[in-house]
Amino acid sequence: MTTRIRFLLQLGFTLLVCLFMIVPVVMSALAGLTENYFVGLKSGLTLRWVNDVWQLYADTIWLSIRLALACLTVTVLLGVPAAYGLLRSRRRWANAIEEALLLPVAVPGLATALALLLAYGHYREFRDSWLFILVGHVLFTLPFMIRPVLSVMRTARLPQLEEAAASLGAGFWRRFLTVVVPNCMSGILAGALMVVTLSIGEFNITWMLHTPLTKTLPVGLADSYASMRLEIGSAYTLIFLVMIVPLLVAIQWAGRLTVQHH
C-alpha cells in the first residue's frame, strides 16, 4: 500500500511538472491559431497569422534551414576526423584539447560573437554574409558532434578492426571510410541531430552577428514579438515548434540507437 501511494505521488508530481512546461507552449501555439487572442477561442480559429508569418518571415526560415545544413556538413567534416585524432593520440595535450572543446559551450554566446566581430568584423563582405553566422554556429555546435562520436569510437574496438583491415591490405583512407565511419555511425547520427537542432534554435550568437539581410528564425521570432501583434509572434512560435519537435523526437530515437549499439 505504501509503495502504491509513493508511486501515485511521484506520478502526480511528474504530471504537474509536465503540465507546468507544456501548458505555456500549448497556449502560445493556440494564440497563433485564434482570430483574437484576447477574446480567446470564441473569436474562432484561423491560419491567417501563420500565413502572415510566412509572407513576412519566410526568408528567415529558409536561411535557418540552410545554416543548419551547412553547419551539419562542416561539423561532420571537422568533427569526425577530430574525434578520430583524439582517439588515436596518446599525448597529454589530447586530453587538454578535449576539455577545451567545451569552452564555446561554457562561454556566453554573446562573448563568442563579440570575439568573432573583433577578429573578422572588418572584412565587410564576410561580415555581411550568412557565412559569418555559420562560423559562430560551427564554433558552438562542434563539441556536440565530437563528443558522441568519440564516445562511440572508444567502445567500438576500432584498433582491432583497423588492424584486421590493414592486414588485408587496406590503406589509411580506406580503413577510415569503410571501418571507422560505419562503426561510429550511431554517434554521428546523434551528433548530427544535436547540431541541426542547436543551429536552428541558436539566438545569442546569431543576434550579435546578423544583419537586416541575414535574420534567422530565432531572430525573426524575437522581432515578431517586439514589433508585431501577439498572434503573429505566436504563429511564428508554432512554425518553430513544427520544425524543432520532430528533431527532438529524432534525438531521443538516436540516443536509444546509441545505447543499443553499446
Side-chain angles (χ1 to χ4, degrees):
M1 188 66 180
T2 304
T3 304
R4 180 173 178 79
I5 292 176
R6 187 185 300 118
F7 169 76
L8 291 175
L9 289 174
Q10 292 173 343
L11 178 61
F13 178 75
T14 303
L15 291 176
L16 283 175
V17 172
C18 291
L19 287 174
F20 180 78
M21 294 186 296
I22 293 173
V23 168
V25 176
V26 173
M27 290 184 64
S28 178
L30 284 176
L33 296 174
T34 54
E35 190 70 36
N36 189 318
Y37 172 73
F38 298 100
V39 176
L41 293 176
K42 295 179 182 178
S43 62
L45 297 176
T46 180
L47 290 175
R48 177 160 66 101
W49 308 120
V50 176
N51 183 64
D52 286 349
V53 168
W54 188 257
Q55 295 296 326
L56 293 169
Y57 296 103
D59 56 332
T60 69
I61 296 171
W62 291 119
L63 178 58
S64 287
I65 294 173
R66 191 193 325 160
L67 265 172
L69 294 177
C71 186
L72 172 60
T73 301
V74 175
T75 52
V76 169
L77 292 177
L78 294 179
V80 176
Y84 182 70
L86 290 172
L87 177 74
R88 296 297 298 267
S89 178
R90 301 183 184 276
R91 299 181 181 179
R92 295 178 180 178
W93 52 260
N95 292 329
I97 291 177
E98 186 177 348
E99 295 303 322
L101 287 171
L102 295 177
L103 283 177
V105 181
V107 174
L110 295 178
T112 302
L114 180 60
L116 289 173
L117 285 170
L118 292 174
Y120 307 112
H122 55 281
Y123 297 105
R124 180 57 64 87
E125 291 186 1
F126 183 47
R127 170 71 182 88
D128 294 337
S129 170
W130 64 274
L131 295 175
F132 193 47
I133 300 175
L134 175 63
V135 173
H137 281 210
V138 170
L139 284 175
F140 177 65
T141 59
L142 188 59
F144 295 95
M145 175 60 71
I146 294 177
R147 284 281 178 163
V149 172
L150 184 58
S151 176
V152 172
M153 284 182 175
R154 283 172 171 163
T155 60
R157 296 185 301 170
L158 287 181
Q160 295 92 327
L161 294 174
E162 285 191 88
E163 184 178 349
S167 67
L168 296 174
F172 170 77
W173 285 110
R174 187 170 183 180
R175 295 198 308 272
F176 183 77
L177 294 175
T178 61
V179 176
V180 175
V181 173
N183 278 279
C184 64
M185 190 57 67
S186 59
I188 295 174
L189 179 60
L193 291 168
M194 284 294 294
V195 166
V196 171
T197 303
L198 291 170
S199 179
I200 290 177
E202 208 292 316
F203 176 76
N204 291 330
I205 294 175
T206 310
W207 184 77
M208 282 283 286
L209 300 183
H210 87 281
T211 68
L213 298 179
T214 56
K215 286 183 180 179
T216 62
L217 195 154
V219 175
L221 178 60
D223 179 71
S224 68
Y225 271 112
S227 59
M228 298 288 180
R229 287 181 59 127
L230 178 64
E231 292 87 354
I232 290 182
S234 297
Y236 207 141
T237 302
L238 180 61
I239 292 175
F240 181 78
L241 290 173
V242 169
M243 292 177 61
I244 212 74
V245 168
L247 288 174
L248 294 176
V249 173
I251 287 175
Q252 295 297 321
W253 173 79
R256 294 194 189 97
L257 189 66
T258 302
V259 171
Q260 292 175 0
H261 178 82
H262 289 178

